[in-house]
Amino acid sequence: VQLQACGGGLVQPGGCLRLSCAASRDIANINVMAWYRQAPGKERELVARIGSSRSRNYADAVKGRFTISKDNVKNTLYLQMNSLKPEDTAVYYCYAMIVAALQPAVDYWGQGTLVTVSS
C-alpha cells in the first residue's frame, strides 16, 4: 500500500492544522494506522494510532489536543491538531501495519510532511 501524507505547514502557537494521508487501497481492514513524528535531533515517536475497530491511542503529549480519525470511503487517515505548541514542530509520518492471514506483519510508511509551529 502507498501512503501519501499532506497538510503540513507553518502555524502560530495555539493554531491548528489537519494532516491527511491518502492510501492506495481499501483501509477499512488495515489492522493499525498511525501518525508518527520526528523532531530535529530526536527519534521518531508515536503520536496517535487507530485500529480497524476505530479504537484510538494517543501520546501523552498530545492528548486532548490531537484527534486521529479515518474515512473508510475515501481511504484517508486524518490527524486534527489543535492548540499547537512549538514542541509539536516535527516531520509527521503516516503509518500502516497490515497483517495478512498466516503472514508476518508488514509496515508501510508514507513520506513525511513538515509541521512548524512558530510565531
Side-chain angles (χ1 to χ4, degrees), residues 4-31:
Q4 181 73 35
C6 64
L10 173 64
V11 62
Q12 292 186 342
C16 59
L17 281 176
R18 188 176 79 157
L19 305 183
S20 300
C21 174
S24 62
R25 53 150 279 181
D26 179 13
I27 67 170
N29 295 317
I30 289 181
N31 303 83

Side-chain angles (χ1 to χ4, degrees), residues 88-114:
D88 295 318
T89 295
V91 177
Y92 284 71
Y93 297 90
C94 178
Y95 164 86
M97 182 186 77
I98 298 175
V99 183
L102 303 179
Q103 299 292 325
V106 179
D107 298 330
Y108 297 89
W109 293 93
Q111 92 293 356
T113 184
L114 177 62

Side-chain angles (χ1 to χ4, degrees), residues 9-18 37 62 65-66 79-89 92 115-118:
L10 173 64
V11 62
Q12 292 186 342
C16 59
L17 281 176
R18 188 176 79 157
R37 68 185 181 186
V62 307
R65 299 188 298 122
F66 290 11
L79 184 69
Q80 178 66 43
M81 305 184 293
N82 298 332
S83 302
L84 282 161
K85 303 176 181 180
E87 51 262 45
D88 295 318
T89 295
Y92 284 71
V115 173
T116 303
V117 184
S118 175

Side-chain angles (χ1 to χ4, degrees), residues 26-107:
D26 179 13
I27 67 170
N29 295 317
I30 289 181
N31 303 83
V32 176
M33 296 193 77
W35 290 97
Y36 283 75
R37 68 185 181 186
Q38 187 166 18
K42 295 187 177 181
E43 294 188 353
R44 191 173 297 189
E45 63 177 3
L46 175 68
V47 175
R49 64 183 174 194
I50 184 168
S52 56
S53 64
R54 300 184 186 272
S55 60
R56 297 171 173 83
N57 299 97
Y58 295 93
D60 288 343
V62 307
K63 281 182 180 177
R65 299 188 298 122
F66 290 11
T67 301
I68 189 171
S69 62
K70 63 175 183 171
D71 186 327
N72 290 340
V73 174
K74 295 182 178 179
N75 294 327
T76 301
L77 177 72
Y78 301 100
L79 184 69
Q80 178 66 43
M81 305 184 293
N82 298 332
S83 302
L84 282 161
K85 303 176 181 180
E87 51 262 45
D88 295 318
T89 295
V91 177
Y92 284 71
Y93 297 90
C94 178
Y95 164 86
M97 182 186 77
I98 298 175
V99 183
L102 303 179
Q103 299 292 325
V106 179
D107 298 330

